[in-house]
Amino acid sequence: MIGHDIIAAPATAAGGAIAVIRVSGDGAVECCDRIFRGGCKLSEAAPYTVHYGTIVDGERIVDDVLATVFRAPHSYTGEDGVELSVHGSQYIVSEVLALLLRNGARMAAAGEFSARAFLAGKMDLSQAEAVADMIAADSRAAHALASTQMRGGYSAKLGDLRERLLKIASLLELELDFSEEDVEFADREELRRTMTETAAEIECLAASFSLGNAIKEGVAVAIVGAPNAGKSTLLNRLLGENRAMVSEIAGTTRDTIEERMNIDGVVFRFIDTAGLRDTADRLEALGIERTRRAIERAKIVIQLVEPDAEYEPLKVAAEQRLVLAINKIDIRRPAIVPDGAVLISAQTGEGIDSLSAAVRAAVDTSELYAGSVVVSSARHREALEAAAAALSRAAAALDDGLPSDLLSEDIREVLHHLGTITGEITTDEILGNIFSKFCIGK
Ligand code: GDP
């Protein structure tokens, strides 16, 4: 992964008017010169300038292009590079790539440009990962999440935590050097305070994963209710299209159906579940099992009931939100409206805006939009949890008056786990794993 050989890949998706082909590595500019004819040689051009010319295969002109020249170390990868803007035909893109490959480049692996950027110290690992999230962002909230991380907000926060812990570890290790003299450089009271504060911050970051992950993947909303309550009709109404099967025969929704929808900057995944009831039908029983799992995974549960129907309020976990919706108000208005219930008609659309607003209100994005760090990667959450566990071991060691070497060992472990997030500490395996999930050309 550490090579600087010449890599090339298309950086844009098929179908646009222009396609960009990226070339990077030692000799990338000279490689392009072999197939580029313009006002000057690219290798003689000033860096960060754009040149009009043609790509040629011998005497044959393949395309009119613009070539942008980058020079190490001030480029995305930290290497020499060229970006060729060609006409967006798949044929042209593959011809130009084939020419580059014949002239010294090889096809880039997924994420190889970003991996090189990371290895060149252009960004840390969490920032490189955010690049992939940025490309995948499909809503304002997902964009804000990736943007804060890509711009280094998360790195700064972790850097600050690491610095405080490093100070403790150094003081403790200094004590070891003077162990004969029984001195304490690290004031135990201050140590405890720093550890408590740091632990709280790490736990807070780890806890933000619930929101971050939901924003990144789409906030799961389960629509639950008795057969014929109108779940499928509601899903269709919400989506404004006929996706779910609607039927008057109870129990027709055998599987869960999921649809994504953006409400005011947040993507929600609405899940229509099979009717909850006892049944002898095996297939339907499977559907009901899936319903239970869908409820467990959902961040928001819409319980759909008919006016004045008897129902048990669903039990949801503390971090879940339950929204009660009374459907079919076009037929009958309920005599009593429970607190917080939303009155709707999935059929006519009445009250659907209020329901959407109630769903949206269940996700607080104010902190996110204010630039607070929100964790969205399972890898980061795991590292944070491991760091928190090591920190609580260190705190226990401190309480028990254990010697400084044991204490500093635990704190070093906290530092290790935090370091894996930003990539101060990493292995080829971790890197391979992360960057292979990127698209080619990034
Ligand atoms: P599900 O079993 O909960 O998915 O229920 P469906 O969406 O299949 O709806 C069951 C029946 O109730 C269908 O005949 C729908 O047309 C009807 N229905 C659903 N919502 C409304 C509503 O708001 N008003 C009226 N009048 N009928 C509805």
Side-chain angles (χ1 to χ4, degrees), residues 13 109 160 164 169 310 316 321 337 340:
D160 172 52
R164 274 185 269 161
E310 291 212 353
V316 295
R321 198 63 74 82
V337 181

mmCIF file of all heavy atoms in Angstrom, residues 13 109 160 164 169 310 316 321 337 340:
data_model
loop_
_atom_site.group_PDB
_atom_site.id
_atom_site.type_symbol
_atom_site.label_atom_id
_atom_site.label_comp_id
_atom_site.label_asym_id
_atom_site.label_seq_id
_atom_site.Cartn_x
_atom_site.Cartn_y
_atom_site.Cartn_z
ATOM 1 N N ALA A 13 -18.760 9.215 -11.951
ATOM 2 C CA ALA A 13 -19.679 8.140 -12.305
ATOM 3 C C ALA A 13 -20.062 8.261 -13.779
ATOM 4 O O ALA A 13 -19.988 9.343 -14.360
ATOM 5 C CB ALA A 13 -20.925 8.224 -11.435
ATOM 6 N N ALA A 109 -6.561 0.634 -7.127
ATOM 7 C CA ALA A 109 -7.499 -0.191 -6.348
ATOM 8 C C ALA A 109 -8.515 0.739 -5.688
ATOM 9 O O ALA A 109 -8.310 1.955 -5.644
ATOM 10 C CB ALA A 109 -6.727 -0.966 -5.292
ATOM 11 N N ASP A 160 -7.128 16.325 21.406
ATOM 12 C CA ASP A 160 -7.176 16.990 22.702
ATOM 13 C C ASP A 160 -7.233 15.953 23.833
ATOM 14 O O ASP A 160 -6.514 16.044 24.826
ATOM 15 C CB ASP A 160 -8.413 17.898 22.716
ATOM 16 C CG ASP A 160 -8.677 18.492 24.068
ATOM 17 O OD1 ASP A 160 -7.731 19.071 24.618
ATOM 18 O OD2 ASP A 160 -9.809 18.366 24.580
ATOM 19 N N ARG A 164 -4.251 15.140 26.773
ATOM 20 C CA ARG A 164 -4.447 15.149 28.224
ATOM 21 C C ARG A 164 -3.997 13.827 28.854
ATOM 22 O O ARG A 164 -3.365 13.793 29.895
ATOM 23 C CB ARG A 164 -5.920 15.405 28.545
ATOM 24 C CG ARG A 164 -6.235 16.899 28.583
ATOM 25 C CD ARG A 164 -7.640 17.127 29.016
ATOM 26 N NE ARG A 164 -8.545 17.174 27.886
ATOM 27 C CZ ARG A 164 -9.864 17.007 27.972
ATOM 28 N NH1 ARG A 164 -10.416 16.768 29.142
ATOM 29 N NH2 ARG A 164 -10.624 17.092 26.908
ATOM 30 N N ALA A 169 0.146 9.996 31.461
ATOM 31 C CA ALA A 169 1.024 8.834 31.293
ATOM 32 C C ALA A 169 2.479 9.239 31.480
ATOM 33 O O ALA A 169 3.244 8.526 32.141
ATOM 34 C CB ALA A 169 0.805 8.212 29.923
ATOM 35 N N GLU A 310 -59.466 -0.784 20.744
ATOM 36 C CA GLU A 310 -58.720 -1.125 21.956
ATOM 37 C C GLU A 310 -57.297 -1.468 21.547
ATOM 38 O O GLU A 310 -57.091 -2.174 20.572
ATOM 39 C CB GLU A 310 -59.361 -2.334 22.619
ATOM 40 C CG GLU A 310 -60.703 -1.992 23.199
ATOM 41 C CD GLU A 310 -60.999 -2.806 24.452
ATOM 42 O OE1 GLU A 310 -60.202 -3.716 24.749
ATOM 43 O OE2 GLU A 310 -62.016 -2.532 25.084
ATOM 44 N N VAL A 316 -41.502 0.353 24.179
ATOM 45 C CA VAL A 316 -40.270 0.615 23.420
ATOM 46 C C VAL A 316 -39.141 0.937 24.391
ATOM 47 O O VAL A 316 -39.390 1.301 25.542
ATOM 48 C CB VAL A 316 -40.442 1.776 22.401
ATOM 49 C CG1 VAL A 316 -41.450 1.422 21.324
ATOM 50 C CG2 VAL A 316 -40.815 3.071 23.104
ATOM 51 N N ARG A 321 -38.421 6.148 20.237
ATOM 52 C CA ARG A 321 -39.518 7.092 20.353
ATOM 53 C C ARG A 321 -40.789 6.450 19.811
ATOM 54 O O ARG A 321 -40.763 5.843 18.740
ATOM 55 C CB ARG A 321 -39.169 8.342 19.552
ATOM 56 C CG ARG A 321 -39.959 9.565 19.892
ATOM 57 C CD ARG A 321 -39.730 10.022 21.333
ATOM 58 N NE ARG A 321 -38.432 10.660 21.512
ATOM 59 C CZ ARG A 321 -38.190 11.919 21.215
ATOM 60 N NH1 ARG A 321 -39.126 12.697 20.726
ATOM 61 N NH2 ARG A 321 -36.994 12.428 21.433
ATOM 62 N N VAL A 337 -58.895 11.476 22.528
ATOM 63 C CA VAL A 337 -57.584 11.494 21.856
ATOM 64 C C VAL A 337 -56.491 11.455 22.916
ATOM 65 O O VAL A 337 -56.340 12.389 23.693
ATOM 66 C CB VAL A 337 -57.420 12.756 20.987
ATOM 67 C CG1 VAL A 337 -56.064 12.748 20.288
ATOM 68 C CG2 VAL A 337 -58.549 12.857 19.976
ATOM 69 N N GLY A 340 -50.596 13.417 22.876
ATOM 70 C CA GLY A 340 -49.516 13.258 21.907
ATOM 71 C C GLY A 340 -49.899 12.476 20.664
ATOM 72 O O GLY A 340 -49.082 12.317 19.762
#
